[in-house]
């Protein structure tokens, strides 16, 4: 087996970084300043309303600080403020403090922190894998080191081409910051395995954990993993071997380290997001009442009994919905299978080590097992929540990438064994593997090579529909056409159908009136027709109407509303020419923001 050379390593690593940069920093203005991501609009409005405090005293004063959302008209706010504050400070100093440019800057920072995750994945994989691949391939020390280097490079490549990470990096949202700081806190806690500079690495892990918390409260999910690693390395093990009889003194010592970790994290949290708290005193732990109320309100809306239109899509979503979305689009089918191969290989190797080494395991083996338990447990937990959104798994993708890197190495090893006497076969098939792994990322990325479907549809409407026509849209969705400079002097009357209202006679009287008087009906995404028919018990008539509107033709439409609309134009993402899943297989939030299907219908 050939070992990897420094020149080859540098080329492959630069290639992974190039892919990460290409996929993340290109086409950041994907919606041509139309602000078509609702969460972005919300964060942009808050960022615009923020003002820089006059001094540190004002910054730390929750009641007066102009950086606190509660003080600038946004009492409902469930995120951390650090990403917005950082963006605001940079926007003011770079002359970008306006509605369009601050969104672009926020997207750039999202892309930047997600690129840095690629670097962390590479470095983290090297730490984790130093001990676990020896038994699997029975290699010499030189080739073992080579294998670790290859897997680390593969892991960086795998994260660079992970589709959901690429998509998130194009949005000004707090999740990308959360992901970077969460994984950074884990990376530095891993560095504490070596006693050299232990306190320094503990300090940096605390710093990154606090920045993750300051970005979003969901950072708490990484805390059990971080503290678990700290406990294993400082209590369970001495000199890298299992220490069976623990002294009370050693356990107390570890408790002190954990306490120090939490204290330092709290200190930095007060520094980077003082607005989680009610009062400026560091010794007053009272949480911000508005923030607590916001979290409770969000929890209230996160169940099937409450009428909340964005939650309709989740009402009848099966428990495997999150797994399906991750498989189909988050990673893509082939990439998902590679992750699975890596995970199974890890579990198999750990089982063999337990059998052959009689439980004399290294620290890193226990940490690998802890990671697997944490990741699977969280994924199962999230799969059984009411909201099964891929958004809440973004911080699992760096770990998926490491498993994917192992999977690529395992497949490469199989190819080497199959073609051991034919090097050309090995190199060709391995290159083919990389190409296959790039297929879904490249297909997805075509959405940014073309105009946003809503922008394209708006241009078509201005060119082709009669001036002063009445166009129907839907509430809780972006109506079209979008305002554009080149509108050919045309003006349209826009009306909105209350499709998400309960199916009452009053609702249907209003819908019939609007359908009768309008000329066109524009479905600017599948937000309505993709989710409402999944709950026919709640929307019996609306479900029938969508079926008639999109599939059954005029007769059934006339029976329901007395008028008929017919499709005259459909705008779909370019990759739909090659792959298109059934509408209810993938959650709407993956498509609605940056590549929705737009359907234009005309009254006959």
């Amino acid at each position: 087996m050939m070992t990897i050379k420094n020149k080859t390593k540098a080329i492959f690593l630069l290639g992974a970084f190039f892919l990460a940069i290409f996929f993340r920093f290109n086409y950041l203005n994907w919606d041509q300043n139309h602000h078509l991501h609702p969460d972005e609009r919300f964060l942009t409005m808050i960022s615009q309303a923020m003002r820089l405090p006059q001094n540190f005293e004002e910054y730390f004063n929750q009641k007066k600080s102009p950086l606190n959302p509660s003080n600038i008209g946004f009492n409902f706010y469930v995120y951390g403020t650090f990403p917005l504050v950082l963006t605001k400070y940079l926007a003011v100093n770079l002359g970008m403090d306006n509605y369009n440019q601050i969104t672009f800057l926020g997207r750039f920072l999202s892309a930047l922190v997600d690129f840095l995750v690629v670097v962390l994945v590479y470095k983290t994989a090297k730490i984790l894998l130093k001990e676990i691949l020896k038994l699997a391939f029975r290699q010499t020390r030189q080739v073992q080191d080579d294998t670790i280097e290859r897997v680390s490079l593969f892991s960086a490549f795998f994260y660079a081409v992970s589709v959901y990470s690429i998509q998130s990096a194009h949005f000004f949202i707090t999740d990308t910051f959360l992901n970077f700081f969460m994984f950074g806190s884990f990376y530095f806690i891993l560095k504490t395995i070596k006693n050299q500079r232990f306190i320094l690495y503990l300090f940096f892990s605390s710093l990154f954990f606090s920045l993750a918390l300051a970005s979003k409260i969901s950072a708490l999910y990484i805390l059990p993993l971080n503290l678990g690693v700290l406990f294993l390395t400082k209590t369970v093990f001495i000199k890298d071997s299992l220490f069976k009889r623990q002294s009370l003194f050693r356990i107390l010592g570890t408790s002190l380290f954990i306490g120090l970790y939490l204290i330092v994290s709290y200190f930095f949290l007060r520094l980077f997001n003082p607005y989680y708290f009610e009062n400026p005193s560091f010794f007053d732990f009272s949480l911000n009442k508005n923030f607590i109320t916001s979290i409770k309100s969000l929890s209230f809306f996160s169940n099937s009994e409450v009428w909340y239109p964005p939650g309709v899509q989740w009402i009848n979503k099966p428990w495997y919905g999150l797994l399906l979305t991750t498989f189909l689009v988050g990673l893509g089918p082939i990439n998902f299978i590679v992750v699975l191969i890596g995970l199974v290989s890890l579990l198999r190797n750990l089982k063999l080590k337990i059998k052959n080494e009689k439980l004399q395991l290294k620290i890193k083996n226990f940490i690998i097992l802890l990671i697997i338990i944490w990741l699977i447990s969280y994924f199962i937990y999230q799969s059984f929540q009411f909201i099964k959104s891929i958004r809440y798994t973004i911080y699992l993708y760096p770990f998926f990438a490491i498993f994917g890197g192992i999977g690529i190495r395992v497949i490469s090893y199989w190819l080497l064994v199959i073609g051991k006497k034919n090097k050309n076969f090995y190199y060709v098939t391995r290159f083919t593997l990389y190409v296959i792994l790039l297929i879904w990322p490249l297909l997805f990325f075509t959405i940014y090579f073309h105009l946003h479907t809503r922008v394209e549809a708006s241009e078509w409407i201005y060119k082709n529909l009669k001036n002063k026509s009445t166009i129907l849209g839907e509430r809780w969705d972006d109506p079209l056409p979008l305002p554009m400079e080149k509108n050919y002097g045309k003006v349209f009357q826009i009306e909105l159908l209350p499709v998400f209202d309960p199916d009452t006679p009053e609702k249907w009287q209003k819908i019939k009136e609007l359908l009768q008087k309008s000329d066109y009906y524009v479905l600017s995404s599948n937000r309505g027709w993709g989710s409402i028919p999944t709950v026919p018990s709640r929307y019996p008539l609306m479900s029938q109407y969508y079926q008639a509107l999109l599939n059954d033709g005029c007769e059934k439409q006339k029976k329901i509303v007395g008028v008929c609309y017919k499709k005259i134009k459909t705008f779909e993402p370019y990759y739909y020419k090659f792959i298109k899943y059934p509408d209810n297989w993938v959650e709407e939030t993956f498509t609605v923001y940056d590549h929705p299907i737009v359907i234009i219908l005309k009254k006959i």
Side-chain angles (χ1 to χ4, degrees):
M1 181 181 290
M2 299 178 63
T3 58
I4 190 168
K5 298 178 181 179
N6 287 335
K7 186 176 180 181
T8 306
K9 166 192 167 182
I11 292 173
F12 197 97
L13 188 60
L14 287 174
F17 288 166
F18 169 79
L19 285 171
I21 291 170
F22 172 78
F23 280 130
R24 283 156 181 79
F25 290 95
N26 270 314
Y27 307 104
L28 289 178
N29 191 19
W30 46 267
D31 56 354
Q32 291 78 51
N33 292 326
H34 287 291
H35 304 272
L36 297 176
H37 191 307
D39 291 339
E40 272 195 343
R41 289 198 292 258
F42 180 60
L43 295 186
T44 300
M45 287 188 292
I46 296 176
S47 300
Q48 278 289 95
M50 284 178 168
R51 294 291 178 266
L52 300 187
Q54 299 297 316
N55 49 52
F56 282 111
E57 182 181 356
E58 187 178 31
Y59 171 80
F60 285 108
N61 190 326
Q62 288 86 343
K63 306 295 184 185
K64 295 182 179 179
S65 174
L67 296 174
N68 185 352
S70 299
N71 297 335
I72 52 177
F74 295 91
N75 285 327
F76 179 83
Y77 188 74
V78 296
Y79 306 111
T81 58
F82 177 74
L84 276 68
V85 171
L86 174 64
T87 304
K88 182 69 176 183
Y89 269 97
L90 290 174
V92 170
N93 287 284
L94 295 174
M96 301 178 69
D97 191 18
N98 60 70
Y99 193 70
N100 286 336
Q101 287 186 300
I102 204 167
T103 299
F104 183 85
L105 178 60
R107 291 178 182 177
F108 177 84
L109 293 175
S110 281
L112 177 62
V113 294
D114 201 65
F115 168 75
L116 293 176
V117 176
V118 179
V119 180
L120 284 178
V121 165
Y122 169 73
K123 297 177 74 66
T124 303
K126 293 184 76 170
I127 299 174
L128 285 175
L129 302 173
K130 205 166 185 179
E131 299 291 338
I132 66 173
L133 294 175
K134 295 179 183 177
L135 188 64
F137 302 107
R138 301 184 183 281
Q139 302 161 339
T140 64
R141 181 56 182 266
Q142 181 183 5
V143 180
Q144 288 167 9
D145 292 342
D146 171 68
T147 301
I148 292 167
E149 187 62 46
R150 286 180 185 274
V151 172
S152 302
L153 291 169
F154 294 153
S155 300
F157 163 79
F158 199 93
Y159 189 84
V161 302
S162 294
V163 165
Y164 186 61
S165 301
I166 294 169
Q167 184 184 44
S168 298
H170 282 77
F171 300 154
F172 174 28
I173 51 177
T174 61
D175 303 73
T176 47
F177 295 86
L178 170 73
N179 183 33
F180 169 63
F181 291 123
M182 280 180 72
F183 195 66
S185 74
F186 175 72
Y187 165 72
F188 282 110
I189 207 71
L190 277 184
K191 296 280 285 183
T192 65
I193 291 173
K194 301 297 183 182
N195 286 322
Q196 300 92 336
R197 299 181 179 178
F198 166 76
I199 295 297
L200 179 64
Y201 293 135
L202 192 70
F203 171 85
F204 276 114
S205 180
S206 298
L207 172 62
F208 271 69
F209 175 63
S210 66
L211 286 168
L213 273 177
S215 301
K216 199 174 181 181
I217 200 68
S218 304
L220 288 170
Y221 287 119
I222 200 71
L223 188 59
L225 183 58
N226 287 353
L227 297 185
V229 172
L230 188 59
F231 178 79
L232 285 174
T233 56
K234 292 303 166 187
T235 301
V236 180
F237 292 92
I238 293 180
K239 295 182 179 179
D240 210 33
S241 61
L242 190 61
F243 186 72
K244 295 182 180 179
R245 295 183 179 179
Q246 304 301 330
S247 67
L248 180 61
F249 176 78
R250 188 168 182 80
I251 293 174
L252 288 175
T254 304
S255 300
L256 289 176
F257 284 129
I258 291 174
L260 177 65
Y261 185 89
L262 296 175
I263 291 171
V264 173
S265 299
Y266 172 74
F267 172 82
F268 279 119
L269 180 61
R270 296 295 304 234
L271 183 65
F272 292 115
N273 187 3
Y275 315 118
Y276 275 150
F277 302 92
E278 187 70 19
N279 298 301
S281 172
F282 271 59
F283 301 101
D284 187 339
F285 305 112
S286 303
L287 296 177
N288 185 315
K289 293 178 182 177
N290 283 333
F291 179 72
I292 295 297
T293 301
S294 298
I295 293 294
K296 288 180 178 179
S297 298
L298 185 65
S299 300
F300 174 75
F301 286 117
S302 299
N303 70 80
S304 60
E305 302 303 321
V306 176
W307 181 85
Y308 183 53
V312 170
Q313 65 165 314
W314 306 113
I315 292 176
N316 286 334
K317 202 79 169 180
W319 63 268
Y320 54 83
L322 179 58
L323 182 65
L324 195 63
T325 300
T326 305
F327 172 76
L328 294 176
V329 295
L331 291 170
I334 302 299
N335 304 50
F336 183 93
I337 291 170
V338 172
V339 170
L340 200 59
I341 290 172
L343 178 59
V344 171
S345 175
L346 271 180
L347 291 170
R348 179 177 174 273
N349 291 339
L350 290 174
K351 181 180 178 181
L352 288 173
K353 289 182 101 46
I354 291 174
K355 180 179 178 181
N356 294 322
E357 298 184 8
K358 298 178 181 179
L359 291 177
Q360 295 301 310
L361 300 179
K362 303 295 183 182
I363 296 174
K364 298 173 191 68
N365 300 110
F366 273 94
I367 291 174
I368 287 289
L369 188 59
L370 181 64
I371 292 171
I372 293 172
I373 292 172
W374 173 80
L375 187 148
I376 293 177
S377 299
Y378 176 79
F379 198 92
I380 292 174
Y381 163 78
Q382 197 59 51
S383 296
F384 285 92
Q385 298 301 299
F386 173 67
I387 299 178
K388 304 171 180 63
S389 177
I390 192 175
R391 180 177 183 176
Y392 299 139
T393 63
I394 188 172
Y395 29 85
L396 303 185
Y397 278 73
F399 299 98
F400 289 157
I402 295 173
F403 297 155
I406 296 170
I408 294 174
R409 182 65 188 91
V410 171
I411 295 172
S412 299
Y413 182 76
W414 293 344
L415 295 175
L416 183 64
V417 171
I418 294 170
K420 56 186 174 182
K421 293 185 178 180
N422 188 339
K423 287 184 179 179
N424 290 333
F425 170 84
Y426 171 67
Y427 289 124
V428 169
T429 52
R430 195 176 70 172
F431 177 76
T432 303
L433 173 63
Y434 300 148
V435 172
I436 291 173
L437 292 173
L438 277 168
I439 289 175
W440 172 229
L442 287 172
L443 280 177
F444 168 78
F445 205 70
T446 58
I447 68 172
Y448 301 122
F449 290 150
H450 298 81
L451 277 178
H452 191 286
T453 47
R454 282 172 172 162
V455 176
E456 188 181 7
S458 296
E459 290 184 351
W460 187 90
I461 288 170
Y462 284 119
K463 288 180 181 178
N464 294 279
L465 300 194
K466 292 181 179 180
N467 190 29
K468 297 183 180 179
S469 297
T470 300
I471 300 177
L472 283 174
E474 296 182 335
R475 290 182 190 169
W476 293 89
D477 208 350
D478 291 79
L480 299 184
L482 300 167
M484 306 182 79
E485 289 185 12
K486 193 173 182 180
N487 60 12
Y488 300 93
K490 292 183 179 179
V491 178
F492 301 104
Q493 181 178 346
I494 306 298
E495 298 283 355
L496 299 179
L497 289 175
V499 295
F500 281 101
D501 286 4
D503 269 3
T504 62
E506 292 77 17
K507 166 188 172 177
W508 280 99
Q509 181 61 35
K510 179 68 173 176
I511 286 179
K512 289 177 182 179
E513 290 174 2
L514 290 173
L515 288 170
Q516 289 284 350
K517 80 170 193 176
S518 300
D519 304 298
Y520 300 93
Y521 184 1
V522 178
L523 302 168
S524 70
S525 77
N526 69 332
R527 189 179 288 275
W529 61 264
S531 57
I532 285 176
T534 65
V535 282
S537 60
R538 182 169 295 189
Y539 294 100
L541 196 54
M542 197 71 228
S543 299
Q544 291 179 40
Y545 180 65
Y546 274 133
Q547 173 67 25
L549 184 69
L550 300 175
N551 301 297
D552 293 338
C554 281
E555 289 188 12
K556 195 168 181 179
Q557 285 188 58
K558 288 180 179 179
K559 287 181 181 179
I560 298 173
V561 294
V563 68
C564 176
Y565 280 78
K566 184 179 180 180
K567 291 182 192 178
I568 57 172
K569 191 70 176 176
T570 300
F571 298 87
E572 294 181 335
Y574 183 78
Y575 74 78
Y576 275 39
K577 297 178 185 295
F578 306 96
I579 182 171
K580 183 178 180 181
Y581 300 116
D583 298 312
N584 59 346
W585 280 27
V586 177
E587 64 181 75
E588 68 180 43
T589 47
F590 178 74
T591 58
V592 164
Y593 304 144
D594 54 4
H595 61 289
I597 297 174
V598 179
I599 301 172
I600 300 176
L601 306 104
K602 180 180 180 180
K603 185 171 68 177
I604 299 176

